[in-house]
Amino acid sequence: MTSPTTIVAKLQSNLRFKLAYIRVYHDFQQTVTEDEVKALMKTLIEAERETIGSLTRRIRQLGGAVQPESQPGQSAQELRIKASTQRTTLAKLRFLQRGATRAIEWYDEQIAALADDEETVGLLKTLQEDKRQHLQQLEAMIAGLGG
């Protein structure tokens, strides 16, 4: 059986990335000119915020602590730095598309690794489905902008 400490560490990592992506979406929302892209960024921010509650609840149920937003972690900081180098709207959207694809793959790995914890697996499947919907929205926007 997977230890609660291991599960908490994985969920905390996911939480840090969700918080970092909220900041990236906000940054992109401020820098793009297309209204439909601004609206998509707002939608993605709201969707990520909605999932944070269930994620933090599970972390606490397992005895873990929730890090404050001001401590995003090294990988999340690197994500924001990479995001800031994206200059065009299509580059920004493709960056988010790659991130969503990687997140879906990460969820697959964690679902397999944590198969003995049904509650966490259920949460991860829900989060993965949300990310799939984000990916579809991003792909539709990229296609709509001629990318």
Side-chain angles (χ1 to χ4, degrees), residues 33-52:
T33 57
E34 299 86 353
D35 289 339
E36 64 270 23
V37 178
K38 286 178 185 273
L40 176 58
M41 294 303 108
K42 181 180 180 192
T43 298
L44 295 175
I45 289 167
E46 291 169 358
E48 291 291 13
R49 284 185 177 151
E50 287 177 15
T51 65
I52 286 173

Side-chain angles (χ1 to χ4, degrees), residues 63-78:
V66 177
Q67 296 281 342
E69 279 188 59
S70 60
Q71 298 175 340
Q74 182 66 27
S75 297
Q77 288 175 340
E78 290 171 6

